[in-house]
Amino acid sequence: MPTTKTKISNSDVKSLAQVLDQSEKIKDVMIECADDLSSVNVALKQRLANDVSSLGVENALQTSQSVEEKVQHAATQLSAVNQALGDEVIERQILEQRLETAQAQADESKHASLHDPLTGLPNRLLFYDRLEHGLAQANRHGWGLAVFFVDLDNFKIINDTLGHATGDHVLKTVALRLKETIRNDDTLCRHGGDEFLYLLLEVGDQEHIAVIADKIMAAIEAPKDPPELSSITIPSISASIGIAIFPKNGSSVEALIKSADEAMYKAKLAKENYVFA
């Protein structure tokens, strides 16, 4: 449900509440007028009782009593209207709360469908979408673009010997280290298992990309854990990285990821930190 509808509903409830407030003030004034007329009528009745021949006073009293009855009747009707307005305000507030809850649930569901539950990183679905968009922009503006395929070394051994809890901790640690290293406009995702993908937009030449690869590797191999995850001691971490460049190594999402994946395996076999496709 679009957020704009929620904003409009907020405005409607606020406007209705303002109308109700004004209406209540008018009702109070009418009640005061009715009370004043009632006091005047009492005085007229006393005067008429003392002067039975005063036809003008009698006519004035009749007119005033008639006006008093109309004002009291109008005040009663206005009170009923205000009650209905009050009920409507409550109903709209309840509806607004339900809309906000539904919007929050929809946002949470959308976020969950596009992010990895362990690391909080974008998942492959969101990464592929951003890579597709990045390719369209690169084609339109003549920009460079690179995809890093990052695979942790010896992760299976860590899982088998130290347990899955430590393995999960390693993955979260790597995710935090990488998030602190990448640029805001780029995208990092957990591709699955111990594999990560990194999309670099508007990159320069291969030398410039190599500098970024060195920073990524240094972040992965950092000796200290991020403060958020310092409660568990983990083994040293290393990785192998394959790098594919658009359009040299592919012009589609699938081609670039495949090229980067193949380069990663070459890096792992050669025991190199990273290899270009």
Side-chain angles (χ1 to χ4, degrees), residues 220-240:
I220 293 174
E221 296 177 347
K224 294 183 179 180
D225 287 349
E228 298 91 331
L229 298 174
S230 59
S231 60
I232 301 176
T233 301
I234 63 173
S236 59
I237 307 171
S238 62
S240 302

Side-chain angles (χ1 to χ4, degrees), residues 169 172-173 176-177 179-180 225-232:
H169 183 75
K172 289 188 285 187
T173 297
L176 282 172
R177 290 176 178 179
K179 281 196 291 188
E180 293 173 353
D225 287 349
E228 298 91 331
L229 298 174
S230 59
S231 60
I232 301 176

Side-chain angles (χ1 to χ4, degrees), residues 36-69:
D36 291 341
L37 280 170
S38 180
S39 299
V40 170
N41 291 342
V42 171
L44 287 173
K45 288 177 181 179
Q46 291 176 348
R47 184 174 176 183
L48 184 60
N50 296 330
D51 187 2
V52 294
S53 63
S54 178
L55 182 60
V57 173
E58 184 177 358
N59 290 336
L61 176 60
Q62 291 176 348
T63 301
S64 182
Q65 287 177 327
S66 176
V67 173
E68 179 189 353
E69 291 175 357

Side-chain angles (χ1 to χ4, degrees), residues 172-233:
K172 289 188 285 187
T173 297
V174 170
L176 282 172
R177 290 176 178 179
L178 293 179
K179 281 196 291 188
E180 293 173 353
T181 306
I182 69 171
R183 303 175 303 180
N184 290 334
D185 293 336
D186 297 335
T187 299
L188 172 70
C189 99
R190 184 185 177 198
H191 189 250
D194 60 338
E195 299 172 343
F196 298 84
L197 291 176
Y198 176 33
L199 168 63
L200 297 83
L201 302 174
E202 299 183 56
V203 294
D205 55 21
Q206 184 166 310
E207 184 177 349
H208 173 244
I209 298 172
V211 171
I212 297 175
D214 287 330
K215 290 181 179 179
I216 292 294
M217 187 61 65
I220 293 174
E221 296 177 347
K224 294 183 179 180
D225 287 349
E228 298 91 331
L229 298 174
S230 59
S231 60
I232 301 176
T233 301

Side-chain angles (χ1 to χ4, degrees), residues 45-198:
K45 288 177 181 179
Q46 291 176 348
R47 184 174 176 183
L48 184 60
N50 296 330
D51 187 2
V52 294
S53 63
S54 178
L55 182 60
V57 173
E58 184 177 358
N59 290 336
L61 176 60
Q62 291 176 348
T63 301
S64 182
Q65 287 177 327
S66 176
V67 173
E68 179 189 353
E69 291 175 357
K70 290 180 180 179
V71 171
Q72 288 177 337
H73 181 65
T76 301
Q77 290 182 318
L78 187 57
S79 180
V81 170
N82 290 348
Q83 180 62 47
L85 282 173
D87 293 342
E88 180 68 15
V89 168
I90 293 173
E91 288 180 6
R92 293 198 180 196
Q93 288 174 337
I94 293 173
L95 177 60
E96 174 59 23
Q97 290 173 352
R98 290 175 179 172
L99 287 172
E100 290 178 352
T101 300
Q103 182 65 53
Q105 291 174 342
D107 291 342
E108 290 177 3
S109 177
K110 180 179 179 181
H111 183 275
S113 69
L114 297 175
H115 291 79
D116 172 53
L118 178 65
T119 63
L121 294 177
N123 60 20
R124 67 173 67 189
L125 182 64
L126 181 54
F127 183 88
Y128 285 16
D129 180 73
R130 290 185 179 176
L131 178 52
E132 189 76 53
H133 180 72
L135 287 171
Q137 294 294 313
N139 274 311
R140 184 176 299 115
H141 302 288
W143 294 339
L145 181 153
V147 173
F148 285 22
F149 199 113
V150 182
D151 184 86
L152 301 185
D153 296 330
N154 303 316
F155 182 74
K156 186 176 186 303
I157 295 176
I158 294 174
N159 251 347
D160 292 344
T161 59
L162 300 179
H164 290 287
T166 300
D168 288 348
H169 183 75
V170 167
L171 294 173
K172 289 188 285 187
T173 297
V174 170
L176 282 172
R177 290 176 178 179
L178 293 179
K179 281 196 291 188
E180 293 173 353
T181 306
I182 69 171
R183 303 175 303 180
N184 290 334
D185 293 336
D186 297 335
T187 299
L188 172 70
C189 99
R190 184 185 177 198
H191 189 250
D194 60 338
E195 299 172 343
F196 298 84
L197 291 176
Y198 176 33

Side-chain angles (χ1 to χ4, degrees), residues 223-276:
K224 294 183 179 180
D225 287 349
E228 298 91 331
L229 298 174
S230 59
S231 60
I232 301 176
T233 301
I234 63 173
S236 59
I237 307 171
S238 62
S240 302
I241 301 176
I243 305 171
I245 301 173
F246 166 83
K248 178 182 177 181
N249 305 123
S251 57
S252 68
V253 171
E254 294 78 10
L256 281 170
I257 293 177
K258 181 180 179 182
S259 295
D261 186 16
E262 291 173 350
M264 180 273 296
Y265 276 107
K266 291 179 181 179
K268 197 172 286 289
L269 289 173
K271 299 187 183 302
E272 299 284 346
N273 287 341
Y274 56 86
V275 166
F276 285 89

